[in-house]
Amino acid sequence: MGDVEIAIEGRDGHVVVRIGDTVIADTTASCVLQETGHAGRYYLPPQDVRLDLLHESPTVTHCPHKGDATHLSATIDGVVHEDVAWVYEDPLPQAEGIRGYVAFYDGRTRTDITAA
């Protein structure tokens, strides 16, 4: 298996993330993490995420290239949506650019991206 490279790039455009009809994130300041062998993944700054709707779940996953990810669940209108997002609070050095930024799971949320 070859070396894994990580690149983090700021993106222009408007990113809106929803669960059902509820907007849980809305930003024009996202970045995209490109990782060898994986599709690019949008990470959103926490100030543009409805953190009042999200809470830490017991799920923690480990990536040997990014570190440990804490997962977040959302509670909307009394309904808990498990593990809809994750965040690297203390990433490895090569992923420092996503520290504290939130990424959302496809299929558990709907992400709409409009080019700038």
Side-chain angles (χ1 to χ4, degrees):
M1 185 162 139
D3 290 337
V4 171
E5 291 188 26
I6 290 177
I8 301 167
E9 306 166 349
R11 287 295 161 121
D12 292 331
H14 188 198
V15 179
V16 178
V17 181
R18 291 179 176 84
I19 294 177
D21 292 330
T22 302
V23 173
I24 58 173
D26 186 336
T27 190
T28 56
S30 65
C31 64
V32 174
L33 182 138
Q34 301 284 346
E35 182 177 355
T36 304
H38 297 280
R41 175 66 65 184
Y42 279 82
Y43 282 80
L44 284 59
Q47 64 268 24
D48 294 338
V49 175
R50 292 281 313 271
L51 297 176
D52 60 310
L53 298 177
L54 299 174
H55 52 91
E56 194 172 310
S57 86
T59 305
V60 176
T61 55
H62 178 77
C63 171
H65 312 292
K66 295 184 292 287
D68 292 334
T70 300
H71 290 250
L72 304 169
S73 295
T75 301
I76 301 170
D77 296 328
V79 177
V80 177
H81 303 267
E82 295 289 340
D83 294 338
V84 297
W86 69 92
V87 60
Y88 289 93
E89 296 290 356
D90 188 23
L92 296 174
Q94 62 267 31
E96 183 62 34
I98 59 167
R99 176 183 294 273
Y101 276 47
V102 181
F104 292 89
Y105 278 103
D106 299 332
R108 299 179 193 177
T109 61
R110 186 178 87 233
T111 301
D112 297 314
I113 302 165
T114 307

